[in-house]
Amino acid sequence: MQTKRSSIDRVHPETELIKEGAQLLAAGELVAFPTETVYGLGANALDVSACAKIFEAKGRPQDNPLIVHVCNRSMADPLVKHWTTAAELCVQHFWPGPLTLILPKTALVPDIVTAGLANVAIRIPSHPVALRLIQAAGFPIAAPSANLSGKPSPTSGGHVWRDMKGKIPLILDAGVCQVGLESTVLDVSGEIPTILRPGGISKERLETVLGEIQVDALSDHQVPKAPGMKYRHYAPRGELLLLSGIRERVVQRMGQEIQRGHARLKRVAVLCTIESAPFLHNQLPDLLFVLGSKDRPEEVASNLFEGLRLCDERGMDLILAEGIVETGLGSAVMNRLEKAAGKRTKYI
Ligand code: AMP
Ligand code: MG
């Protein structure tokens, strides 16, 4: 299939391109589009065979449900059986934005979207292109991240192009996504709101509105509530070692790992904070990528996937990533790095 990649204005999306995207979606095709978190791979959420194409294009396991994107509350209402008080509060304070709510679904939502679960994941994105596209389509759009399953999520049109060219008809390219990490997935179907996946809205921010909330302790177990969390995710091709703790120790250990890697003829990358970079330059890694300041986790979040993807492009065999403090978006950053590292996480 021929893939068209069209530049679209982030703030004032060109009407013709929005129309073209909406028509393709209505015809049961896939369209990749930007959101404020990462790029989505969209299909008509009410069309089973269109949704099936998402799983095919991504190589996504069938038991990993999709997030449904809507442009306003009235598009969401027919999909949700009932809204809890916590859900209403979230809608009021965080929509549009990087927060996905898990709520009991109606029969209108096909099983393929929820992987047979009784709840649906739903959000209103804040990106103007996403909003205009959903509005023009007139139906909800199921859209997971527009990457090949298991790979780091795409935060630029170029990332989508590399993963999806030849597989989908259209990529709407509005440049780099601001948040750069996926949405927070919050289960508000029960009594106590529970974070199933940390993301673009921090636990601290949610708690200012909801009071104390839970983080799903099961997310790494065999049958997690958010099925996607059980898979190896966000993983570059190279092996990733996550090192977290006191800076001096992290820097020293990275130096040792670089030498060890080079002795085994491996190409070694370092992903680190701006504060640690001066100590790592002279250790001569093959690639040094600065994620941002340790004091600005949102900056690290927005650069993380670009860094991981760059490691793949440059053929890195070993990637040494510096951990950051788990406050604000820091906990989402660490969640992604831990998933990418598999078991190779060291707190030193
Ligand atoms: P992605 O769209 O690739 O960011 O992945 C969406 C993730 O949201 C999935 O991997 C699940 O972990 C979670 N999710 C989606 N739908 C549901 C649902 N109905 N119940 C619980 N978690 C869900
Ligand atoms: Mg994804």
Side-chain angles (χ1 to χ4, degrees), residues 62-232:
Q62 293 287 337
D63 66 350
N64 194 354
L66 308 173
I67 295 173
V68 176
H69 294 68
V70 294
C71 60
N72 53 40
R73 176 65 189 267
S74 56
M75 193 183 265
D77 276 335
L79 311 175
V80 174
K81 206 188 267 170
H82 67 91
W83 298 78
T84 57
T85 314
E88 294 288 3
L89 280 169
C90 287
V91 169
Q92 223 176 303
H93 286 87
F94 300 111
W95 277 7
L99 178 66
T100 296
L101 299 177
I102 304 291
L103 285 161
K105 81 173 191 85
T106 63
L108 201 61
V109 183
D111 280 341
I112 189 168
V113 170
T114 62
L117 297 171
N119 291 333
V120 62
I122 192 162
R123 84 174 183 107
I124 302 183
S126 66
H127 197 294
V129 173
L131 284 171
R132 291 280 307 280
L133 183 66
I134 303 164
Q135 203 173 23
F139 45 73
I141 296 180
S145 48
N147 53 290
L148 292 173
S149 201
K151 289 282 150 204
S153 296
T155 54
S156 73
H159 294 167
V160 181
W161 174 253
R162 260 159 251 145
D163 279 15
M164 289 298 150
K165 68 168 175 292
K167 298 182 171 217
I168 61 174
L170 180 65
I171 299 169
L172 295 176
D173 183 348
V176 172
C177 304
Q178 305 104 290
V179 179
L181 270 189
E182 299 84 349
S183 60
T184 301
V185 177
L186 184 71
D187 187 345
V188 279
S189 66
E191 292 227 325
I192 304 170
T194 305
I195 293 179
L196 304 185
R197 175 180 74 183
I201 300 279
S202 67
K203 178 168 187 267
E204 292 89 331
R205 280 189 67 196
L206 290 172
E207 285 186 332
T208 60
V209 170
L210 299 173
E212 205 174 317
I213 60 175
Q214 287 182 344
V215 178
D216 184 26
L218 281 175
S219 54
D220 283 329
H221 290 194
Q222 276 315 89
V223 190
K225 285 193 211 138
M229 300 305 278
K230 72 170 180 263
Y231 294 106
R232 183 158 185 251

Side-chain angles (χ1 to χ4, degrees), residues 251-265:
V251 165
Q252 192 188 23
R253 177 69 186 267
M254 282 192 174
Q256 291 164 354
E257 293 290 340
I258 291 168
Q259 280 187 12
R260 210 173 294 164
H262 282 165
R264 287 183 288 151
L265 302 178

